[in-house]
Amino acid sequence: MRESIKQKPDRLAAAGAAEWPGALRVLIVDDEAPARARLRDLLGDIAASRPTRIVGMAANGMEALRLLEAEPADVVLADIRMPVMDGVELARHLGRLASPPAVVFVTAYDQYAVQAFELAAVDYLLKPVRAERLAAALARAEARRPVADDAALVGLAPAERQHFSVGERGRILLLPVGEVLYLRAELKYVTARTAEREYVLDESLVQLEEEFPRRFLRLHRNCLVARDAVHGAERAGEPDGGDAHWAVLIRGVPERLPVSRRQWPVVRQMLGL
């Protein structure tokens, strides 16, 4: 089932922030309550020099997206490793908002990973977080540092993302990747087909193939299919061979997806034919 971030969330208490004019609106996202509390307290400690208002606290990326639908934020302080939706996937969804907040990762990664975050043009805080380092990160966010590049975030992801972002009627719909049967390139967009309907993704088919090599298989230059959605193949076209080709059968939908001659050996091997 798709998750819409228009849903009404159970709001977590936001406390310890000064209601000063010009204060940055901050959302704290960490699956550990003590870590959330520490960031909240540190924001209180630096309020005189760097005023903020905490708009909410969330235990994972999914909760964060729901909270942001209720109240926007200027800055999201996000842990990396979290259940349900991690910080990197959260950042990728935030980047597709009309007015995305600045994302500051909070991480226990070592120095090599820190260099990777710098290359991705997103700020980071190493745990345990120091007050002066937090103040510096907020200063960068207030200067509207550029949003992290989506391709760079792919390289930082601890695991494959679990959802695609779908823009519909001014909102973001979260489409579970596991429900997508195939992806088809059409002009500037990619159509994602589920058993129920089609969704339009503002993503590149080449990028999706590189990101999900174990989940999706290329059928031809404009189509990727979910490997576990294929349940057979049949010969299609004219029997004299003029337009004859192979097509795969997809569970749950009536479409037959054509396979290019170049890709047919790969598909045939997957099917064990």
Side-chain angles (χ1 to χ4, degrees):
M1 179 178 292
R2 265 65 57 205
E3 289 275 1
S4 166
I5 60 174
K6 279 286 188 184
Q7 296 178 48
K8 275 280 190 182
D10 292 328
R11 296 298 303 274
L12 298 173
E19 296 282 355
W20 296 350
L24 284 174
R25 299 167 296 180
V26 178
L27 175 64
I28 298 172
V29 191
D30 198 300
D31 60 321
E32 297 182 355
R36 295 195 299 269
R38 175 169 173 76
L39 285 174
R40 179 198 61 202
D41 294 343
L42 285 175
L43 289 172
D45 293 341
I46 63 175
S49 61
R50 189 61 58 186
T52 56
R53 179 169 65 88
I54 299 177
V55 299
M57 295 194 290
N60 57 62
M62 188 74 75
E63 286 185 9
L65 289 171
R66 292 174 179 174
L67 286 170
L68 288 172
E69 274 296 325
E71 186 167 0
D74 301 306
V75 184
V76 174
L77 302 177
D79 191 11
I80 296 292
R81 302 296 176 103
M82 295 182 290
V84 185
M85 182 186 291
D86 63 46
V88 175
E89 181 171 351
L90 169 63
R92 297 187 69 181
H93 292 306
L94 293 177
R96 289 179 168 83
L97 294 175
S99 299
V103 177
V104 176
F105 286 130
V106 183
T107 174
Y109 279 5
D110 62 21
Q111 185 61 34
Y112 297 104
V114 167
Q115 293 171 2
F117 286 126
E118 290 174 333
L119 291 174
V122 273
D123 206 354
Y124 64 91
L125 297 172
L126 286 174
K127 294 180 179 180
V129 178
R130 295 178 290 112
E132 58 270 26
R133 185 66 184 86
L134 176 58
L138 293 177
R140 291 189 181 92
E142 194 168 22
R144 303 308 300 168
R145 189 175 182 179
V147 176
D149 178 74
D150 191 70
L153 287 170
V154 172
L156 297 178
E160 290 182 351
R161 57 178 158 153
Q162 300 300 307
H163 301 84
F164 290 125
S165 297
V166 180
E168 287 192 353
R169 304 183 188 89
R171 61 177 182 169
I172 287 183
L173 221 65
L174 296 179
L175 171 62
V177 175
E179 291 188 10
V180 175
L181 303 176
Y182 63 83
L183 299 158
R184 178 180 288 159
E186 298 177 0
L187 299 177
K188 296 190 303 179
Y189 302 98
V190 170
T191 298
R193 180 71 157 92
T194 70
E196 299 172 345
R197 52 166 288 197
E198 293 183 343
Y199 299 86
V200 176
L201 308 180
D202 186 13
E203 302 200 44
S204 157
L205 199 66
V206 172
Q207 177 186 322
L208 293 171
E209 181 181 22
E210 293 175 350
E211 185 180 354
F212 300 99
R214 293 181 299 275
R215 182 177 295 274
F216 293 106
L217 175 69
R218 183 171 288 276
L219 296 182
H220 55 78
R221 64 187 181 88
N222 291 329
C223 186
L224 303 176
V225 67
R227 295 173 184 268
D228 61 3
V230 179
H231 69 88
E234 67 178 16
R235 192 73 169 167
E238 296 298 327
D240 60 9
D243 294 316
H245 62 273
W246 285 95
V248 295
L249 311 178
I250 308 299
R251 60 172 172 79
V253 295
E255 293 99 318
R256 268 62 171 161
L257 301 179
V259 183
S260 70
R261 290 182 179 179
R262 181 177 180 179
Q263 289 301 117
W264 171 240
V266 180
V267 175
R268 182 176 60 190
Q269 182 179 21
M270 183 192 74
L271 293 172
L273 301 177

